[in-house]
Amino acid sequence: MKIAVGCDHGGLEHKNAIVEHLKSRGFEVTDFGIYEQKSVDYPDIAVKVTSAITSGEHELGILVCGTGIGMSIAANKVKGIRAAACSEHFSAKYTRMHNNSNVLCLGGRVIGVGTALELVDLFIDTPFEGDRHQRRIDKIAEIEKNQ
Ligand code: RB5
């Protein structure tokens, strides 16, 4: 599985730890930056990571900003992206099971690196349940289509 990862200045330490962690687990990871501590605009990173998913090159994405919220708002503007800002385990698991989320957004100023890595593992390892949940996702796609 190929995973796209990115962050703004609120999530650099977390992003670097996530990249290393995913690589150590044997995943192919593309790191869309940032690579040094400098102020950037999170939508610019969100569009890079989500494009890597909608192009079909990557299956899942991880985005880190200060809260996880700005990244999730930006990512969810992209057709076909279902991004979830999570700061605890239950949501990270169920957003895969029920929403088939393809992007996990984390807050570098909300959770520690250890929790972030656990949420990433849960997100990556949990399969979508399909069935009635697919019907609901189809309805989300319909909303997108009608905009
Ligand atoms: C940047 O200061 C901060 O606004 C950003 O990382 C994020 O938290 C936005 O939602």
Side-chain angles (χ1 to χ4, degrees):
M1 188 197 295
K2 276 184 93 173
I3 302 168
V5 182
C7 70
D8 74 355
H9 49 285
L12 182 59
E13 184 194 352
H14 290 58
K15 185 270 290 174
N16 287 340
I18 290 165
V19 168
E20 285 317 305
H21 178 70
L22 290 173
K23 283 183 179 169
S24 77
R25 285 197 54 192
F27 292 109
E28 253 191 273
V29 181
T30 306
D31 181 354
F32 286 93
I34 54 175
Y35 310 106
E36 62 189 46
Q37 194 63 48
K38 61 172 183 183
S39 183
V40 295
D41 298 335
Y42 57 82
D44 297 338
I45 307 296
V47 81
K48 287 183 186 176
V49 167
T50 53
S51 298
I53 295 168
T54 54
S55 69
E57 279 180 32
H58 297 71
E59 199 172 314
L60 297 175
I62 315 282
L63 284 166
V64 192
C65 63
T67 58
I69 295 171
M71 284 292 196
S72 68
I73 293 172
N76 278 317
K77 297 293 179 196
V78 177
K79 267 190 186 166
I81 293 300
R82 291 175 300 280
C86 299
S87 54
E88 36 69 35
H89 295 67
F90 190 88
S91 300
K93 180 175 177 178
Y94 274 79
T95 199
R96 286 286 306 133
M97 283 169 66
H98 287 188
N99 313 126
N100 199 13
S101 281
N102 46 14
V103 177
L104 174 67
C105 300
L106 301 169
R109 296 171 183 156
V110 180
I111 57 172
V113 169
T115 300
L117 298 183
E118 287 199 6
L119 299 188
V120 165
D121 281 344
L122 259 180
F123 186 79
I124 303 287
D125 295 338
T126 303
F128 176 48
E129 274 185 349
D131 194 32
R132 67 190 185 282
H133 303 297
Q134 185 58 55
R135 183 180 70 240
R136 293 160 186 166
I137 288 166
D138 291 343
K139 289 189 178 184
I140 294 173
E142 200 59 29
I143 296 171
E144 268 179 355
K145 217 174 99 191
N146 293 335
Q147 289 305 299

